[in-house]
Amino acid sequence: AQSVTQLDSQVPVFEEAPVELRCNYSSSVSVYLFWYVQYPNQGLQLLLKYLSGSTLVKGINGFEAEFNKSQTSFHLRKPSVHISDTAEYFCAVSARGGATNKLIFGTGTLLAVQP
Amino acid sequence: EAGVVQSPRYKIIEKKQPVAFWCNPISGHNTLYWYLQNLGQGPELLIRYENEEAVDDSQLPKDRFSAERLKGVDSTLKIQPAELGDSAVYLCASSQGGGRTGELFFGEGSRLTVL
């Protein structure tokens, strides 16, 4: 079975500052990793995904994440945030070659960008 | 291209009353999911359909919850009778080809309040 830990429930940051949202996972098999974003009163939207290949993955809106197998982490970063980045961010994992796309989500991190 | 459509967006009912949620997935997506999202938590899978077949309903509380996907397109999730603890957001998602690469497309959700 897989699990995801997002230790930070909320991350306050000033506009134009860099940010890192942390995600650690646990799995006995190889995994696919994802970050989803949920804006207020909206559904989840895929931000980026790691399936294979380069461990540095670039997504939409200037976000990127790095897969670190030894540390079982998949932290999300952005060098300069905007007010419009305020949202809930969910890290998710699924087993590679397992029960297809059974995604296990973390509890989410609220990114609160302040002017 | 139209996204995943859910209705109603909001529903307030008294406990012990029935409630139903409807979902129309993206055209051509054969896999449909219902997720439960409690306040401050990540989505949790209730049921997954491959076409008309429910292939994973292990997390669906079958004593009060039921779901169907007629003709492998639209789906309905029903709760009867509703309990106070059922207050949450019910998310529908769809994907193409089993969604192995993890890109699920989510609707905006149906927010249920049970009084």
Side-chain angles (χ1 to χ4, degrees):
Chain A
Q2 292 74 46
S3 67
V4 176
T5 301
Q6 292 181 250
L7 288 174
D8 304 309
S9 60
Q10 186 169 346
V11 173
V13 62
F14 288 106
E15 194 172 20
E16 297 184 7
V19 70
E20 178 180 84
L21 305 184
R22 297 182 294 169
C23 172
N24 288 89
Y25 70 91
S26 173
S27 176
S28 58
V29 300
S30 297
V31 296
Y32 299 129
L33 292 157
F34 313 89
W35 277 98
Y36 278 80
V37 59
Q38 186 176 32
Y39 297 103
N41 296 315
Q42 294 188 25
L44 281 73
Q45 177 184 2
L46 183 65
L47 200 55
L48 50 78
K49 60 185 176 184
Y50 172 76
L51 303 181
S52 65
S54 173
T55 56
L56 183 62
V57 179
K58 295 188 183 297
I60 60 173
N61 301 338
F63 283 92
E64 64 180 31
E66 186 158 18
F67 170 56
N68 188 318
K69 187 175 181 180
S70 62
Q71 297 186 3
T72 61
S73 67
F74 192 54
H75 301 331
L76 181 70
R77 302 186 184 97
K78 187 170 183 178
S80 176
V81 295
H82 302 287
I83 293 288
S84 59
D85 292 323
T86 294
E88 190 88 24
Y89 291 80
F90 293 95
C91 183
V93 63
S94 69
R96 183 187 296 268
T100 60
N101 52 319
K102 184 166 186 174
L103 287 184
I104 306 298
F105 288 88
T107 52
T109 297
L110 175 62
L111 176 61
V113 182
Q114 304 163 5
Chain B
E1 178 182 286
V4 176
V5 179
Q6 291 187 245
S7 69
R9 288 292 313 277
Y10 304 93
K11 188 74 176 180
I12 301 173
I13 61 172
E14 299 278 340
K15 64 181 181 182
K16 300 185 181 179
Q17 294 299 306
V19 63
F21 305 111
W22 173 81
C23 172
N24 181 241
I26 292 173
S27 177
H29 282 191
N30 60 314
T31 308
L32 184 146
Y33 316 76
W34 283 102
Y35 278 86
L36 166 68
Q37 186 176 20
N38 286 304
L39 187 65
Q41 300 294 316
E44 299 173 27
L45 181 68
L46 287 173
I47 189 168
R48 174 167 64 95
Y49 283 93
E50 296 287 348
N51 299 305
E52 303 89 356
E53 183 182 0
V55 296
D56 185 353
D57 63 355
S58 57
Q59 301 302 310
L60 189 71
K62 299 181 182 63
D63 56 336
R64 297 184 300 107
F65 286 66
S66 64
E68 60 182 9
R69 189 182 185 196
L70 299 177
K71 300 181 181 179
V73 182
D74 295 2
S75 178
T76 302
L77 177 69
K78 297 179 181 178
I79 308 174
Q80 183 170 13
E83 298 179 351
L84 294 176
D86 296 331
S87 295
V89 177
Y90 294 83
L91 295 168
C92 179
S94 69
S95 65
Q96 202 168 30
R100 182 174 291 276
T101 57
E103 183 154 15
L104 274 60
F105 294 82
F106 284 83
E108 294 181 318
S110 294
R111 182 177 297 275
L112 173 66
T113 301
V114 183
L115 302 177

